Amino acid sequence: MVDFKAIRDEFPILDQEIHGHPLVYLDSAATSQKPNAVIDAEANFYRTINAGVHRGAHELAARSTVAFEEARAKVAKLVGANAAEGEEEIVVTGGATAGLNLLATAFGNASLGRGGEAAKRFALKPGDEIVVSRAEHHSVLLPFQELAYRTGAKFKWIDLTEDGRVRTDNLDEVITERTKVVAVTHVGNTTGAITNVGPIIKRAHEVGAVFILDACQSVPHLKVDFHALDVDFAAWSAHKMYGPTGVGFLYGKRELLEALPPANFGGSMVELAYMDHEAQYMAPPARFEAGTQPVAQVVAAGVAAEWMMNIGMENIEAHEKTLSAELLKLGDIDGIRILGPRENVNRIGTVAFDVKGVHPHDVGQFIDAQGIAIRVGHHCAQPVHRHFGLYASNRASSGVYNSVADAHALVEAAKGIRPFFGAE
Ligand SMILES: Cc1ncc(COP(=O)(O)O)c(C=O)c1O
């Protein structure tokens, strides 16, 4: 039995008052708070072994390299990926956005003929198709839309059901023999809906397309296994999984990483560089990790991964299910509409809602005045909001440190919004 009250006590930031009320943090979909173990890991790295990795013959460099690679292995274990030397499937990035842009840029480079014969599987030309879903965060939508503009490929999308789930009933129409890339979110950052990715991945592979998963909102909340899912690539951020900001990870099947041309160029990714002919790039993951790495952050992200595994992803999932059950009661309040599935099935504790007649910023301020932090705006997902006939909403999102009492506090506070603003 996991003691979630004791887990909450590991987060120093939560032990404070905001506007005279105990802080209730319900904005974990934007960024999660950090446990002492993660904060200490980053500070201790600087106190004891700070040095660049994979370079330098001195002992500190050797120790920091070991810590960096051990962190990669912990992160790999969290998502069911390989980390053995020469078989690494985890690339360090600056975050999910950086990882997704890395892929779109690398595919663009392959489309220009870079990467030789092996990279042709990623090349796009006019007439080819790129498919996303309407549930995407802008960090999937925009890099792949730009890739379509650059290559002349057609940009298409899978639409949503009325309650905001990615449809799977018309996949044969949307994903065709011309589709080369399919990029879909694992969990909607607005709707909280878990995408039924199985049929989408199957269809993508049936037509020979590469499947990319945006795992930003799944890795922190669900047990994920990229091998079992058979995804080709997946990107996510450490800061949403109790790790530091400024770092993220890109998973790629080893054979695909080996075939993919680089997207960023510079130090630490090149075997041989010349003035008068082409460079010879390193094998993955180094090929995709140009420049000095965020070593302290990666080490701390590894600790975050280990910390989550110690609690148990099944336990985290079950705990957060009790939170989503409470948050969904928002939909029972007169004039409040939930943007996403109402039932507590195949969804996480991210619950966006619209308050009839009250602007989201007013809602946010009213809720904040009671010490409760939620997100307002379009959550970098404008097409999702258009699907619901809105341009912005309010979003509560849970983390492992929340209690049912936190969710209940929001529901109780929300009951006062429309009366306070005199909404019709
Ligand atoms: C589903 C989803 N994808 C991508 C991102 C982008 O993550 P980051 O801003 O950490 O790069 C986010 C973060 O808001 C997200 O929720």
Side-chain angles (χ1 to χ4, degrees):
M1 193 61 185
V2 179
D3 181 353
F4 282 96
K5 167 78 185 68
I7 286 172
R8 181 194 181 92
D9 292 341
E10 294 182 42
F11 289 79
I13 199 171
L14 298 177
D15 186 21
Q16 65 174 303
E17 293 202 339
I18 299 284
H19 307 311
H21 299 274
L23 168 62
V24 172
Y25 187 77
L26 285 169
D27 196 15
S28 298
T31 197
S32 67
Q33 300 301 348
K34 324 300 172 199
N36 281 321
V38 169
I39 299 168
D40 292 346
E42 191 167 337
N44 284 339
F45 175 86
Y46 287 125
R47 287 202 182 95
T48 56
I49 57 170
N50 179 45
V53 293
H54 299 301
R55 52 179 89 168
H58 60 79
E59 180 58 21
L60 281 189
R63 289 183 194 177
S64 71
T65 301
V66 168
F68 183 75
E69 292 305 328
E70 280 178 357
R72 190 194 307 274
K74 287 173 191 167
V75 169
K77 190 168 172 206
L78 179 70
V79 296
N82 289 337
E85 202 179 335
E87 293 167 31
E88 298 94 335
E89 293 181 312
I90 298 291
V91 173
V92 170
T93 66
T97 304
L100 292 159
N101 275 281
L102 185 160
L103 284 178
T105 305
F107 290 8
N109 292 345
S111 308
L112 293 170
R114 304 298 298 152
E117 201 56 36
K120 282 206 169 128
R121 61 202 299 175
F122 307 113
L124 290 145
K125 58 181 185 320
D128 289 341
E129 297 170 349
I130 298 173
V131 173
V132 301
S133 86
R134 185 184 282 276
E136 300 316 310
H137 188 279
H138 295 165
S139 65
V140 171
L141 172 66
L142 300 179
F144 289 99
Q145 206 172 45
E146 284 296 328
L147 178 63
Y149 290 134
R150 284 206 304 277
T151 58
K154 188 169 176 197
F155 188 76
K156 295 169 72 179
W157 59 92
I158 310 169
D159 237 307
L160 307 181
T161 60
E162 206 179 319
D163 64 355
R165 292 192 185 278
V166 178
R167 284 175 59 178
T168 52
D169 58 333
N170 61 345
L171 294 176
D172 291 0
E173 282 160 46
V174 187
I175 302 173
T176 74
E177 296 296 328
R178 299 179 150 208
T179 306
K180 293 289 185 299
V181 178
V182 179
V184 172
T185 191
H186 203 181
V187 175
N189 80 321
T190 300
T191 61
I194 301 172
T195 308
N196 180 13
V197 285
I200 307 175
I201 296 168
K202 186 163 168 277
R203 177 64 184 156
H205 288 161
E206 227 167 59
V207 300
V210 172
F211 182 87
I212 300 161
L213 188 72
D214 176 354
C216 255
Q217 299 292 352
S218 58
V219 170
H221 305 286
L222 310 173
K223 187 169 174 58
V224 301
D225 182 330
F226 293 143
H227 283 177
L229 282 173
D230 197 25
V231 300
D232 297 314
F233 295 99
W236 74 104
S237 294
H239 71 93
K240 294 181 200 277
M241 51 163 262
Y242 312 105
T245 48
V247 61
F249 301 97
L250 175 69
Y251 161 83
K253 281 181 182 162
R254 182 71 195 182
E255 44 134 5
L256 294 182
L257 287 178
E258 279 171 2
L260 191 69
N264 301 307
F265 302 84
S268 301
M269 52 79 71
V270 64
E271 209 79 71
L272 297 165
Y274 308 92
M275 295 308 289
D276 55 355
H277 63 96
E278 258 192 69
Q280 195 179 311
Y281 299 117
M282 292 170 108
R287 185 192 299 163
F288 304 104
E289 296 177 353
T292 303
Q293 292 302 301
V295 191
Q297 289 73 16
V298 170
V299 169
V303 169
E306 198 169 42
W307 182 86
M308 290 167 72
M309 288 186 282
N310 285 341
I311 298 172
M313 290 312 297
E314 292 91 346
N315 295 325
I316 291 178
E317 198 173 329
H319 173 66
E320 292 201 50
K321 194 117 197 125
T322 66
L323 307 176
S324 47
E326 186 64 26
L327 289 173
L328 283 167
K329 291 182 185 165
L330 285 164
D332 298 335
I333 301 169
D334 194 33
I336 292 192
R337 172 165 66 123
I338 286 177
L339 317 186
R342 283 293 312 269
E343 71 280 21
N344 198 18
V345 178
N346 291 333
R347 63 148 32 259
I348 65 162
T350 290
V351 178
F353 58 99
D354 175 55
V355 182
K356 193 166 169 242
V358 188
H359 192 282
H361 277 267
D362 290 335
V363 172
Q365 272 185 349
F366 178 84
I367 296 293
D368 175 62
Q370 302 177 52
I372 305 172
I374 61 168
R375 169 92 190 254
V376 299
H378 53 60
H379 326 313
C380 304
Q382 291 181 11
V384 182
H385 281 81
R386 274 187 215 111
H387 172 76
F388 290 106
L390 299 167
Y391 58 88
S393 68
N394 316 283
R395 181 184 71 184
S397 53
S398 68
V400 67
Y401 32 67
N402 289 121
S403 62
V404 172
D406 289 346
H408 185 68
L410 174 65
V411 174
E412 286 304 305
K415 287 180 184 165
I417 301 169
R418 296 186 77 243
F420 179 82
F421 288 99
E424 298 287 306

